[in-house]
Amino acid sequence: MFNNVIVEPLVGTERIKLLSDFESVVELLKTNNVKYTLEVWPNKGCDPEVPWTLVKISNTVTLFFAKNKLWKMYFEEGFTGSLKNGIKIGLTIDEARKIDPTLVYDDWEEDFISKQNYWLEESLETKKICSISIYIKEAENDNLFFSYNWAN
């Protein structure tokens, strides 16, 4: 279901879209016999204290839900797809910057942020991209995101 899939920032994949309901995504996974595990991050001490439910698939894809809505898709080593622009896990950041010159390193998050609405992590050992994250637009602004109005 995630082999060679194209990932589109702010949208999702062909079959799973950002802002999808938790129940519909889990039903799609079950229908396609995709094994997954669930994990809950309680976010204790946050204001507001909204738990996130993570759906982990084959240690290569993690889907993040808050208030029943999919807000982030995280793809890591073993994922064989790519972003719509061709960036994929295993490329170097220099190769990725040739494709997307808007990539800049964020010291606070310790990843590369694109103006095309995705994040990349680089392995310190291999110096290659080890994860890709796409998310809803509100995730770029803490005030908008943590209001959780997007999930209502």
Side-chain angles (χ1 to χ4, degrees):
M1 185 166 181
F2 289 100
N3 290 332
N4 302 315
V5 71
I6 300 296
V7 175
E8 190 171 349
L10 303 179
V11 175
T13 68
E14 182 180 323
R15 301 191 64 194
I16 299 177
K17 305 295 184 205
L18 291 168
L19 292 176
S20 293
D21 292 328
F22 174 81
E23 292 84 12
S24 63
V25 171
V26 167
E27 186 58 37
L28 178 65
L29 296 174
K30 287 179 181 176
T31 300
N32 287 279
N33 295 314
V34 175
K35 293 184 187 329
Y36 63 90
T37 59
L38 296 178
E39 184 176 319
V40 176
W41 291 1
N43 291 329
K44 295 281 185 200
C46 291
D47 186 24
E49 205 168 273
V50 175
W52 294 349
T53 302
L54 282 62
V55 176
K56 296 178 156 244
I57 304 162
S58 304
N59 295 323
T60 59
V61 178
T62 304
L63 308 175
F64 287 73
F65 292 84
K67 290 191 168 186
N68 201 35
K69 295 291 185 185
L70 177 60
W71 70 271
K72 178 174 139 180
M73 301 174 88
Y74 177 78
F75 306 90
E76 52 194 315
E77 289 182 273
F79 173 68
T80 59
S82 67
L83 287 165
K84 196 172 181 180
N85 63 12
I87 291 175
K88 59 186 177 181
I89 291 170
L91 290 181
T92 65
I93 290 297
D94 287 341
E95 291 169 320
R97 281 187 168 141
K98 287 177 185 169
I99 296 168
D100 179 1
T102 73
L103 284 166
V104 294
Y105 187 73
D106 182 306
D107 288 325
W108 179 256
E109 296 294 336
E110 297 183 339
D111 60 8
F112 291 83
I113 298 174
S114 170
K115 289 188 178 173
Q116 295 179 27
N117 308 100
Y118 60 87
W119 302 316
L120 303 175
E121 280 182 289
E122 177 186 45
S123 166
L124 296 175
E125 294 173 7
T126 67
K127 300 294 183 193
K128 294 186 178 190
I129 296 168
C130 62
S131 78
I132 299 169
S133 295
I134 63 167
Y135 45 82
I136 60 172
K137 185 72 175 163
E138 291 83 351
E140 294 180 337
N141 178 307
D142 283 351
N143 291 331
L144 287 175
F145 180 77
F146 291 108
S147 73
Y148 291 102
N149 289 333
W150 52 268
N152 296 328

